[in-house]
mmCIF file of all heavy atoms in Angstrom:
data_model
loop_
_atom_site.group_PDB
_atom_site.id
_atom_site.type_symbol
_atom_site.label_atom_id
_atom_site.label_comp_id
_atom_site.label_asym_id
_atom_site.label_seq_id
_atom_site.Cartn_x
_atom_site.Cartn_y
_atom_site.Cartn_z
ATOM 1 N N ALA A 60 23.020 -9.191 6.283
ATOM 2 C CA ALA A 60 22.947 -9.897 7.497
ATOM 3 C C ALA A 60 21.486 -10.067 8.100
ATOM 4 O O ALA A 60 21.229 -11.012 8.798
ATOM 5 C CB ALA A 60 23.883 -9.360 8.623
ATOM 6 N N SER A 61 20.578 -9.150 7.638
ATOM 7 C CA SER A 61 19.236 -9.134 8.292
ATOM 8 C C SER A 61 18.412 -10.245 7.831
ATOM 9 O O SER A 61 17.502 -10.608 8.549
ATOM 10 C CB SER A 61 18.635 -7.823 7.902
ATOM 11 O OG SER A 61 18.214 -7.835 6.496
ATOM 12 N N GLY A 62 18.590 -10.832 6.731
ATOM 13 C CA GLY A 62 17.765 -11.860 6.200
ATOM 14 C C GLY A 62 16.378 -11.310 5.663
ATOM 15 O O GLY A 62 15.522 -12.056 5.349
ATOM 16 N N CYS A 63 16.298 -9.980 5.549
ATOM 17 C CA CYS A 63 15.105 -9.372 5.016
ATOM 18 C C CYS A 63 14.989 -9.629 3.558
ATOM 19 O O CYS A 63 16.007 -9.782 2.809
ATOM 20 C CB CYS A 63 15.113 -7.842 5.254
ATOM 21 S SG CYS A 63 14.963 -7.351 6.939
ATOM 22 N N LEU A 64 13.748 -9.876 3.027
ATOM 23 C CA LEU A 64 13.560 -10.208 1.648
ATOM 24 C C LEU A 64 13.514 -8.953 0.754
ATOM 25 O O LEU A 64 13.541 -9.032 -0.432
ATOM 26 C CB LEU A 64 12.302 -11.048 1.479
ATOM 27 C CG LEU A 64 12.331 -12.356 2.182
ATOM 28 C CD1 LEU A 64 10.979 -13.094 2.014
ATOM 29 C CD2 LEU A 64 13.498 -13.232 1.674
ATOM 30 N N SER A 65 13.254 -7.738 1.391
ATOM 31 C CA SER A 65 13.164 -6.541 0.577
ATOM 32 C C SER A 65 13.828 -5.429 1.368
ATOM 33 O O SER A 65 14.036 -5.432 2.613
ATOM 34 C CB SER A 65 11.736 -6.136 0.249
ATOM 35 O OG SER A 65 11.117 -5.626 1.371
ATOM 36 N N ILE A 66 14.306 -4.401 0.560
ATOM 37 C CA ILE A 66 14.883 -3.212 1.208
ATOM 38 C C ILE A 66 13.879 -2.471 2.021
ATOM 39 O O ILE A 66 14.196 -2.047 3.182
ATOM 40 C CB ILE A 66 15.414 -2.357 0.053
ATOM 41 C CG1 ILE A 66 16.589 -3.020 -0.710
ATOM 42 C CG2 ILE A 66 16.029 -1.082 0.735
ATOM 43 C CD1 ILE A 66 17.092 -2.341 -1.946
ATOM 44 N N ASP A 67 12.617 -2.402 1.630
ATOM 45 C CA ASP A 67 11.587 -1.776 2.386
ATOM 46 C C ASP A 67 11.387 -2.457 3.766
ATOM 47 O O ASP A 67 11.150 -1.804 4.762
ATOM 48 C CB ASP A 67 10.217 -1.774 1.611
ATOM 49 C CG ASP A 67 10.248 -0.882 0.479
ATOM 50 O OD1 ASP A 67 10.922 0.179 0.558
ATOM 51 O OD2 ASP A 67 9.536 -1.154 -0.499
ATOM 52 N N GLU A 68 11.342 -3.753 3.740
ATOM 53 C CA GLU A 68 11.321 -4.496 4.971
ATOM 54 C C GLU A 68 12.385 -4.111 5.951
ATOM 55 O O GLU A 68 12.228 -3.812 7.204
ATOM 56 C CB GLU A 68 11.302 -6.030 4.774
ATOM 57 C CG GLU A 68 11.261 -6.876 6.044
ATOM 58 C CD GLU A 68 11.475 -8.309 5.726
ATOM 59 O OE1 GLU A 68 11.676 -8.806 4.577
ATOM 60 O OE2 GLU A 68 11.410 -9.095 6.748
ATOM 61 N N PHE A 69 13.600 -4.075 5.487
ATOM 62 C CA PHE A 69 14.836 -3.649 6.301
ATOM 63 C C PHE A 69 14.646 -2.203 6.732
ATOM 64 O O PHE A 69 14.947 -1.943 7.936
ATOM 65 C CB PHE A 69 16.063 -3.885 5.485
ATOM 66 C CG PHE A 69 17.311 -3.494 6.168
ATOM 67 C CD1 PHE A 69 17.788 -4.212 7.173
ATOM 68 C CD2 PHE A 69 17.945 -2.307 5.758
ATOM 69 C CE1 PHE A 69 18.991 -3.909 7.856
ATOM 70 C CE2 PHE A 69 19.122 -1.911 6.432
ATOM 71 C CZ PHE A 69 19.608 -2.707 7.380
ATOM 72 N N LEU A 70 14.330 -1.259 5.915
ATOM 73 C CA LEU A 70 14.216 0.099 6.176
ATOM 74 C C LEU A 70 13.188 0.389 7.338
ATOM 75 O O LEU A 70 13.297 1.256 8.050
ATOM 76 C CB LEU A 70 13.933 0.994 4.942
ATOM 77 C CG LEU A 70 15.063 0.964 3.958
ATOM 78 C CD1 LEU A 70 14.663 1.935 2.779
ATOM 79 C CD2 LEU A 70 16.373 1.420 4.549
ATOM 80 N N ALA A 71 12.142 -0.464 7.329
ATOM 81 C CA ALA A 71 11.088 -0.305 8.331
ATOM 82 C C ALA A 71 11.675 -0.607 9.706
ATOM 83 O O ALA A 71 11.169 -0.095 10.686
ATOM 84 C CB ALA A 71 9.907 -1.204 8.034
ATOM 85 N N LEU A 72 12.711 -1.388 9.750
ATOM 86 C CA LEU A 72 13.380 -1.900 10.965
ATOM 87 C C LEU A 72 14.539 -0.970 11.387
ATOM 88 O O LEU A 72 14.815 -0.821 12.555
ATOM 89 C CB LEU A 72 13.775 -3.304 10.863
ATOM 90 C CG LEU A 72 12.725 -4.325 10.640
ATOM 91 C CD1 LEU A 72 13.327 -5.665 10.196
ATOM 92 C CD2 LEU A 72 11.749 -4.423 11.721
ATOM 93 N N ARG A 73 15.148 -0.390 10.434
ATOM 94 C CA ARG A 73 16.378 0.300 10.659
ATOM 95 C C ARG A 73 16.310 1.752 10.064
ATOM 96 O O ARG A 73 16.792 1.989 8.949
ATOM 97 C CB ARG A 73 17.647 -0.437 10.053
ATOM 98 C CG ARG A 73 17.897 -1.726 10.655
ATOM 99 C CD ARG A 73 18.510 -1.665 12.085
ATOM 100 N NE ARG A 73 19.650 -0.903 12.223
ATOM 101 C CZ ARG A 73 20.906 -1.570 12.063
ATOM 102 N NH1 ARG A 73 21.052 -2.829 11.838
ATOM 103 N NH2 ARG A 73 21.987 -0.764 12.152
ATOM 104 N N GLU A 74 15.651 2.655 10.757
ATOM 105 C CA GLU A 74 15.354 3.983 10.216
ATOM 106 C C GLU A 74 16.631 4.826 9.873
ATOM 107 O O GLU A 74 16.567 5.700 9.045
ATOM 108 C CB GLU A 74 14.483 4.747 11.170
ATOM 109 C CG GLU A 74 13.076 4.185 11.215
ATOM 110 C CD GLU A 74 12.085 4.988 12.140
ATOM 111 O OE1 GLU A 74 12.552 6.066 12.576
ATOM 112 O OE2 GLU A 74 11.055 4.466 12.362
ATOM 113 N N GLU A 75 17.798 4.482 10.543
ATOM 114 C CA GLU A 75 18.990 5.213 10.309
ATOM 115 C C GLU A 75 19.495 5.007 8.919
ATOM 116 O O GLU A 75 20.319 5.876 8.414
ATOM 117 C CB GLU A 75 20.126 4.852 11.396
ATOM 118 C CG GLU A 75 20.654 3.458 11.248
ATOM 119 C CD GLU A 75 19.975 2.344 11.985
ATOM 120 O OE1 GLU A 75 18.794 2.519 12.257
ATOM 121 O OE2 GLU A 75 20.627 1.394 12.404
ATOM 122 N N PHE A 76 19.010 4.034 8.225
ATOM 123 C CA PHE A 76 19.407 3.789 6.879
ATOM 124 C C PHE A 76 18.449 4.201 5.815
ATOM 125 O O PHE A 76 18.492 3.940 4.634
ATOM 126 C CB PHE A 76 19.731 2.255 6.655
ATOM 127 C CG PHE A 76 20.854 1.758 7.384
ATOM 128 C CD1 PHE A 76 20.799 0.763 8.367
ATOM 129 C CD2 PHE A 76 22.128 2.250 7.247
ATOM 130 C CE1 PHE A 76 21.780 0.268 9.046
ATOM 131 C CE2 PHE A 76 23.239 1.802 7.927
ATOM 132 C CZ PHE A 76 23.062 0.705 8.827
ATOM 133 N N ASP A 77 17.384 4.935 6.229
ATOM 134 C CA ASP A 77 16.275 5.298 5.425
ATOM 135 C C ASP A 77 16.718 6.023 4.123
ATOM 136 O O ASP A 77 16.405 5.739 3.021
ATOM 137 C CB ASP A 77 15.237 6.154 6.242
ATOM 138 C CG ASP A 77 13.946 6.344 5.412
ATOM 139 O OD1 ASP A 77 13.370 5.257 5.031
ATOM 140 O OD2 ASP A 77 13.600 7.479 5.167
ATOM 141 N N VAL A 78 17.546 7.053 4.367
ATOM 142 C CA VAL A 78 17.910 7.897 3.186
ATOM 143 C C VAL A 78 18.810 7.137 2.303
ATOM 144 O O VAL A 78 18.583 7.101 1.100
ATOM 145 C CB VAL A 78 18.569 9.170 3.727
ATOM 146 C CG1 VAL A 78 19.295 9.998 2.510
ATOM 147 C CG2 VAL A 78 17.638 10.087 4.482
ATOM 148 N N VAL A 79 19.819 6.449 2.860
ATOM 149 C CA VAL A 79 20.683 5.724 1.986
ATOM 150 C C VAL A 79 20.079 4.604 1.261
ATOM 151 O O VAL A 79 20.260 4.264 0.077
ATOM 152 C CB VAL A 79 22.010 5.198 2.744
ATOM 153 C CG1 VAL A 79 21.659 4.173 3.716
ATOM 154 C CG2 VAL A 79 23.099 4.728 1.793
ATOM 155 N N GLY A 80 19.133 3.946 1.942
ATOM 156 C CA GLY A 80 18.319 2.865 1.318
ATOM 157 C C GLY A 80 17.475 3.330 0.170
ATOM 158 O O GLY A 80 17.466 2.726 -0.891
ATOM 159 N N LYS A 81 16.779 4.448 0.355
ATOM 160 C CA LYS A 81 15.900 5.007 -0.687
ATOM 161 C C LYS A 81 16.795 5.502 -1.869
ATOM 162 O O LYS A 81 16.357 5.456 -3.009
ATOM 163 C CB LYS A 81 14.993 6.028 -0.132
ATOM 164 C CG LYS A 81 13.924 5.471 0.676
ATOM 165 C CD LYS A 81 12.853 6.368 1.310
ATOM 166 C CE LYS A 81 11.939 5.650 2.139
ATOM 167 N NZ LYS A 81 10.810 6.418 2.570
ATOM 168 N N LEU A 82 17.952 6.037 -1.580
ATOM 169 C CA LEU A 82 18.804 6.466 -2.701
ATOM 170 C C LEU A 82 19.315 5.225 -3.538
ATOM 171 O O LEU A 82 19.353 5.324 -4.667
ATOM 172 C CB LEU A 82 20.034 7.184 -2.150
ATOM 173 C CG LEU A 82 19.798 8.608 -1.564
ATOM 174 C CD1 LEU A 82 20.928 9.222 -0.940
ATOM 175 C CD2 LEU A 82 19.269 9.530 -2.734
ATOM 176 N N ALA A 83 19.587 4.192 -2.831
ATOM 177 C CA ALA A 83 19.990 2.882 -3.573
ATOM 178 C C ALA A 83 18.888 2.456 -4.451
ATOM 179 O O ALA A 83 19.072 2.025 -5.543
ATOM 180 C CB ALA A 83 20.435 1.946 -2.454
ATOM 181 N N ILE A 84 17.666 2.421 -3.796
ATOM 182 C CA ILE A 84 16.432 1.954 -4.662
ATOM 183 C C ILE A 84 16.310 2.924 -5.788
ATOM 184 O O ILE A 84 16.144 2.406 -7.002
ATOM 185 C CB ILE A 84 15.164 1.976 -3.712
ATOM 186 C CG1 ILE A 84 15.316 0.894 -2.722
ATOM 187 C CG2 ILE A 84 13.986 1.925 -4.623
ATOM 188 C CD1 ILE A 84 14.218 1.050 -1.585
ATOM 189 N N ALA A 85 16.361 4.205 -5.641
ATOM 190 C CA ALA A 85 16.132 5.130 -6.746
ATOM 191 C C ALA A 85 17.237 4.963 -7.781
ATOM 192 O O ALA A 85 16.987 4.964 -9.010
ATOM 193 C CB ALA A 85 16.224 6.536 -6.224
ATOM 194 N N ALA A 86 18.549 4.694 -7.383
ATOM 195 C CA ALA A 86 19.594 4.546 -8.375
ATOM 196 C C ALA A 86 19.355 3.365 -9.236
ATOM 197 O O ALA A 86 19.722 3.371 -10.447
ATOM 198 C CB ALA A 86 20.943 4.490 -7.667
ATOM 199 N N GLU A 87 18.787 2.299 -8.718
ATOM 200 C CA GLU A 87 18.545 1.100 -9.491
ATOM 201 C C GLU A 87 17.311 1.248 -10.309
ATOM 202 O O GLU A 87 17.339 0.991 -11.561
ATOM 203 C CB GLU A 87 18.408 -0.117 -8.574
ATOM 204 C CG GLU A 87 19.653 -0.672 -8.100
ATOM 205 C CD GLU A 87 20.626 -1.232 -9.084
ATOM 206 O OE1 GLU A 87 20.179 -1.758 -10.112
ATOM 207 O OE2 GLU A 87 21.867 -0.943 -8.973
ATOM 208 N N LEU A 88 16.232 1.796 -9.718
ATOM 209 C CA LEU A 88 14.950 1.836 -10.457
ATOM 210 C C LEU A 88 14.909 2.826 -11.538
ATOM 211 O O LEU A 88 14.169 2.648 -12.539
ATOM 212 C CB LEU A 88 13.748 2.108 -9.496
ATOM 213 C CG LEU A 88 13.476 0.926 -8.541
ATOM 214 C CD1 LEU A 88 12.187 1.341 -7.636
ATOM 215 C CD2 LEU A 88 13.051 -0.319 -9.354
ATOM 216 N N ILE A 89 15.588 3.866 -11.467
ATOM 217 C CA ILE A 89 15.538 4.968 -12.496
ATOM 218 C C ILE A 89 15.997 4.424 -13.822
ATOM 219 O O ILE A 89 15.539 4.951 -14.825
ATOM 220 C CB ILE A 89 16.312 6.203 -12.025
ATOM 221 C CG1 ILE A 89 15.857 7.474 -12.794
ATOM 222 C CG2 ILE A 89 17.764 5.996 -12.232
ATOM 223 C CD1 ILE A 89 14.535 8.032 -12.299
ATOM 224 N N ARG A 90 16.758 3.415 -13.850
ATOM 225 C CA ARG A 90 17.281 2.812 -15.115
ATOM 226 C C ARG A 90 16.134 2.138 -15.870
ATOM 227 O O ARG A 90 16.248 1.954 -17.116
ATOM 228 C CB ARG A 90 18.286 1.760 -14.870
ATOM 229 C CG ARG A 90 19.476 2.204 -14.011
ATOM 230 C CD ARG A 90 20.305 0.961 -13.612
ATOM 231 N NE ARG A 90 21.194 1.344 -12.521
ATOM 232 C CZ ARG A 90 22.402 0.983 -12.529
ATOM 233 N NH1 ARG A 90 22.945 0.293 -13.480
ATOM 234 N NH2 ARG A 90 23.172 1.279 -11.516
ATOM 235 N N PHE A 91 14.984 1.777 -15.247
ATOM 236 C CA PHE A 91 13.940 1.046 -15.876
ATOM 237 C C PHE A 91 12.794 1.914 -16.399
ATOM 238 O O PHE A 91 11.963 1.418 -17.036
ATOM 239 C CB PHE A 91 13.371 0.020 -14.832
ATOM 240 C CG PHE A 91 14.404 -1.027 -14.481
ATOM 241 C CD1 PHE A 91 15.235 -0.898 -13.359
ATOM 242 C CD2 PHE A 91 14.583 -2.159 -15.371
ATOM 243 C CE1 PHE A 91 16.112 -1.870 -13.075
ATOM 244 C CE2 PHE A 91 15.533 -3.068 -15.014
ATOM 245 C CZ PHE A 91 16.246 -2.923 -13.899
ATOM 246 N N GLU A 92 12.763 3.203 -15.952
ATOM 247 C CA GLU A 92 11.751 4.135 -16.447
ATOM 248 C C GLU A 92 11.905 4.367 -17.882
ATOM 249 O O GLU A 92 12.908 5.087 -18.333
ATOM 250 C CB GLU A 92 11.720 5.319 -15.570
ATOM 251 C CG GLU A 92 11.200 5.020 -14.199
ATOM 252 C CD GLU A 92 10.587 6.236 -13.489
ATOM 253 O OE1 GLU A 92 10.938 7.452 -13.860
ATOM 254 O OE2 GLU A 92 9.792 6.009 -12.581
ATOM 255 N N ASN A 93 10.971 3.881 -18.705
ATOM 256 C CA ASN A 93 11.129 4.046 -20.141
ATOM 257 C C ASN A 93 9.743 4.085 -20.643
ATOM 258 O O ASN A 93 8.961 3.082 -20.688
ATOM 259 C CB ASN A 93 11.882 2.902 -20.777
ATOM 260 C CG ASN A 93 11.940 2.938 -22.294
ATOM 261 O OD1 ASN A 93 11.405 3.893 -22.920
ATOM 262 N ND2 ASN A 93 12.560 2.000 -22.914
ATOM 263 N N PRO A 94 9.258 5.225 -21.184
ATOM 264 C CA PRO A 94 7.826 5.470 -21.649
ATOM 265 C C PRO A 94 7.538 4.465 -22.772
ATOM 266 O O PRO A 94 6.339 4.072 -22.875
ATOM 267 C CB PRO A 94 7.891 6.839 -22.234
ATOM 268 C CG PRO A 94 9.050 7.585 -21.644
ATOM 269 C CD PRO A 94 10.074 6.469 -21.357
ATOM 270 N N GLU A 95 8.420 3.916 -23.521
ATOM 271 C CA GLU A 95 8.093 2.979 -24.552
ATOM 272 C C GLU A 95 7.794 1.598 -24.108
ATOM 273 O O GLU A 95 7.228 0.731 -24.801
ATOM 274 C CB GLU A 95 9.209 2.924 -25.580
ATOM 275 C CG GLU A 95 9.416 4.362 -26.120
ATOM 276 C CD GLU A 95 10.086 4.310 -27.493
ATOM 277 O OE1 GLU A 95 10.373 3.229 -28.091
ATOM 278 O OE2 GLU A 95 10.537 5.381 -27.952
ATOM 279 N N THR A 96 8.008 1.301 -22.832
ATOM 280 C CA THR A 96 7.768 0.029 -22.239
ATOM 281 C C THR A 96 6.312 -0.449 -22.463
ATOM 282 O O THR A 96 6.083 -1.581 -22.800
ATOM 283 C CB THR A 96 8.048 0.071 -20.731
ATOM 284 O OG1 THR A 96 9.421 0.354 -20.521
ATOM 285 C CG2 THR A 96 7.691 -1.193 -20.016
ATOM 286 N N PHE A 97 5.419 0.502 -22.292
ATOM 287 C CA PHE A 97 3.955 0.131 -22.280
ATOM 288 C C PHE A 97 3.473 -0.171 -23.727
ATOM 289 O O PHE A 97 2.547 -0.950 -23.889
ATOM 290 C CB PHE A 97 3.159 1.137 -21.601
ATOM 291 C CG PHE A 97 3.752 1.485 -20.241
ATOM 292 C CD1 PHE A 97 4.361 2.621 -20.014
ATOM 293 C CD2 PHE A 97 3.574 0.519 -19.239
ATOM 294 C CE1 PHE A 97 4.921 2.912 -18.797
ATOM 295 C CE2 PHE A 97 4.114 0.750 -18.015
ATOM 296 C CZ PHE A 97 4.852 1.938 -17.725
ATOM 297 N N ALA A 98 4.092 0.486 -24.656
ATOM 298 C CA ALA A 98 3.633 0.225 -26.105
ATOM 299 C C ALA A 98 4.089 -1.092 -26.570
ATOM 300 O O ALA A 98 3.601 -1.687 -27.496
ATOM 301 C CB ALA A 98 4.226 1.342 -26.944
ATOM 302 N N ASN A 99 5.197 -1.647 -25.914
ATOM 303 C CA ASN A 99 5.727 -2.941 -26.364
ATOM 304 C C ASN A 99 5.252 -4.110 -25.589
ATOM 305 O O ASN A 99 5.712 -5.169 -25.743
ATOM 306 C CB ASN A 99 7.234 -2.760 -26.160
ATOM 307 C CG ASN A 99 7.890 -1.747 -27.110
ATOM 308 O OD1 ASN A 99 7.377 -1.474 -28.188
ATOM 309 N ND2 ASN A 99 8.932 -1.097 -26.614
#
Side-chain angles (χ1 to χ4, degrees):
S61 73
C63 290
L64 298 178
S65 75
I66 299 170
D67 288 329
E68 177 187 1
F69 178 72
L70 295 179
L72 302 169
R73 298 289 301 268
E74 291 182 12
E75 70 269 30
F76 293 120
D77 191 59
V78 172
V79 69
K81 288 184 179 184
L82 288 172
I84 290 169
E87 284 297 323
L88 288 181
I89 201 74
R90 303 168 197 228
F91 295 94
E92 289 204 335
N93 178 357
E95 300 203 8
T96 298
F97 308 107
N99 297 327

